[in-house]
Amino acid sequence: MTISTDLAYAAELDAQDPCAHFRERFLIDDDNLIYMDGNSLGRLPHEAATLSTELILQQWGSRLIRSWNEGWFTAPERIGAKIAELIGAQEDEVIVADSTSVNLFKLVVAALRHQAGRPQILTDDLNFPSDLYILQGAIEVLDKQHQLQVVSSVDGIYGPVAELQARLNEQTALLTLSHTVFKSGYMYDMAALTAAAHAAGALVLWDLSHSVGAVPVDLNGANVDLAIGCTYKYLNGGPGAPAFLYVRRDLQKRLFNPLSGWMGQRDLFGFDLNYQPASGLRHFLTGTPPVVSLSLIEPGVDLLCEAGIELLRAKSVRQTSYLIDLWQAELEPLGFTLKSPREHAYRVHTSPWDTPRDCASTWP
Ligand SMILES: *Cc1c(COP(=O)(O)O)cnc(C)c1O
């Protein structure tokens, strides 16, 4: 594809954009604002604004406690099931709860206990700092029985894949990485690294915060054990919206939430004084969910399911390639450098998506 820096060329791309009509579904009140921070706080879907009024005035105001049985109790599973669709998981393998950091803590402690006798945790220095802090905290809580190995990226852009693979062995309890790294947009080959970890007997936990809603993810296809992710970025869930966690179905009975609270109790209104974990994933819940914030995740997730992640990914590849070509034409001669992989093979790692299918024919 020849890229032109003409405004007319950009307008032509817009005119042919099969995703363009989704723009109307979001509140955009400043045409001069080019918002490129959806990776930090996604835009507000109109539907979320409408729902917020209904939530406050009807569900809370009128229905009061009755709303718990009219959708509030089941929201963590209901919205989790929709997120599952975006990340290639079964609907009972994803649940919404707490923050990404807290979910990481719960799953890491559960995984390390499951992997008794294996003292190493493997990650990289492209990971989100909070993830490293949580790993350090989990090691403290488990009486310093584990060592954290933070493998360095050579250039701060590409993941140190060969080095990670070389360090996987019978000592490794857990490999945990950000699937898409926030520093450069580099994406790991989830299936290949998961298989390598499994060959060494290690569990794998992927942080999908910068992948979910942005790129196709196939957790089941890669046989992933554990994952977590954020909803206020590409899922447009709203500031501080609760996060999600994924536990592969066959592991759900074998892993235990260290923050065992009443929302994860088998019969929560039995008020038994002894904790009995609920079946499925519900035992990974802890306390009462932030219902308002939790409910407002759903419209953004619905929008993504409606658009389809393949369509969005195809647009994203086109748009990023265009941006990179603009950089090459205008900025590189002035000394600006690119801090993201140049080849979208590394910004889109799984082969089925390398050629955007749905819109390939409608794009130039
Ligand atoms: C945004 C992000 C988080 C955020 O964690 P919080 O608990 O919501 O603050 C965690 N991990 C990664 C990789 C992120 O990108």
Side-chain angles (χ1 to χ4, degrees):
M1 180 166 69
T2 346
I3 290 277
S4 155
T5 53
D6 277 2
L7 188 59
Y9 178 76
E12 188 191 318
L13 290 183
D14 277 350
Q16 290 166 349
D17 176 6
C19 304
H21 62 283
F22 282 104
R23 189 181 164 84
E24 291 154 20
R25 310 281 290 275
F26 293 87
L27 188 120
I28 298 175
D29 60 1
D30 179 356
D31 277 339
N32 293 320
L33 178 72
I34 300 173
Y35 191 64
M36 298 178 96
D37 290 317
N39 62 311
S40 179
L41 178 64
R43 280 194 181 272
L44 168 67
H46 283 302
E47 192 52 44
T50 309
L51 175 61
S52 70
T53 310
E54 210 257 327
L55 254 171
I56 302 292
L57 297 179
Q58 302 303 317
Q59 297 184 22
W60 176 14
S62 298
R63 298 302 294 162
L64 288 161
I65 196 174
R66 291 167 288 192
S67 285
W68 280 107
N69 291 325
E70 293 168 0
W72 289 357
F73 263 128
T74 49
E77 285 138 317
R78 186 181 70 246
I79 302 170
K82 292 182 177 184
I83 294 172
E85 203 180 305
L86 299 172
I87 54 179
Q90 304 299 306
E91 57 179 36
D92 60 353
E93 290 179 320
V94 179
I95 200 160
V96 179
D98 306 308
S99 68
T100 307
S101 304
V102 172
N103 287 335
L104 179 62
F105 181 83
K106 292 187 295 191
L107 293 189
V108 165
V109 171
L112 294 179
R113 286 194 169 141
H114 181 268
Q115 296 284 74
R118 289 175 172 254
Q120 308 281 357
I121 307 169
L122 202 52
T123 188
D124 69 4
D125 69 347
L126 299 174
N127 208 343
F128 194 67
S130 188
D131 292 38
L132 296 192
Y133 307 157
I134 291 289
L135 293 172
Q136 292 159 19
I139 289 172
E140 289 289 323
V141 162
L142 296 175
D143 290 333
K144 301 194 177 77
Q145 304 291 309
H146 299 86
Q147 297 95 45
L148 180 60
Q149 295 191 9
V150 185
V151 179
S152 296
S153 160
V154 173
D155 53 7
I157 297 176
Y158 289 82
V161 175
E163 182 65 19
L164 286 165
Q165 283 179 333
R167 295 226 202 164
L168 283 164
N169 58 43
E170 70 291 342
Q171 300 288 298
T172 318
L174 179 70
L175 169 67
T176 178
L177 297 163
S178 285
H179 174 234
T180 303
V181 310
F182 85 107
K183 285 180 180 168
S184 66
Y186 171 82
M187 248 189 294
Y188 275 105
D189 183 334
M190 176 180 280
L193 266 174
T194 301
H198 286 172
L203 288 175
V204 183
L205 190 163
W206 291 100
D207 188 329
L208 303 178
S209 293
H210 286 273
S211 297
V212 63
V215 296
V217 174
D218 189 2
L219 293 179
N220 285 169
N223 197 23
V224 170
D225 306 297
L226 306 164
I228 51 166
C230 181
T231 65
Y232 51 76
K233 294 166 182 163
Y234 296 111
L235 296 187
N236 306 92
F244 64 89
L245 64 87
Y246 155 94
V247 179
R248 203 181 57 221
R249 196 183 278 155
D250 63 289
L251 282 173
Q252 292 176 6
K253 276 200 182 78
R254 293 192 271 147
L255 297 184
F256 296 98
N257 180 3
L259 300 179
S260 47
W262 76 307
M263 284 290 143
Q265 167 74 353
R266 188 170 295 162
D267 172 16
L268 73 161
F269 292 113
F271 298 114
D272 196 290
L273 297 186
N274 292 308
Y275 180 75
Q276 290 284 337
S279 61
L281 254 195
R282 255 200 106 83
H283 68 97
F284 272 98
L285 300 182
T286 297
T288 305
V291 171
V292 174
S293 198
L294 167 66
S295 307
L296 295 180
I297 297 171
E298 203 161 7
V301 174
D302 283 341
L303 268 175
L304 280 159
C305 291
E306 183 187 332
I309 202 72
E310 296 85 356
L311 190 75
L312 284 171
R313 179 60 190 169
K315 170 161 182 167
S316 154
V317 169
R318 296 275 178 187
Q319 213 168 26
T320 309
S321 304
Y322 180 47
L323 190 66
I324 290 174
D325 285 345
L326 288 177
W327 157 77
Q328 202 164 24
E330 306 281 336
L331 295 176
E332 197 180 20
L334 302 176
F336 287 84
T337 53
L338 187 67
K339 289 293 186 189
S340 203
R342 178 73 181 84
E343 328 79 332
H344 69 78
Y346 290 100
R347 305 192 314 267
V348 55
H349 61 93
T350 42
S351 52
W353 317 111
D354 274 346
T355 317
R357 290 174 304 177
D358 286 357
C359 22
S361 53
T362 58
W363 285 76

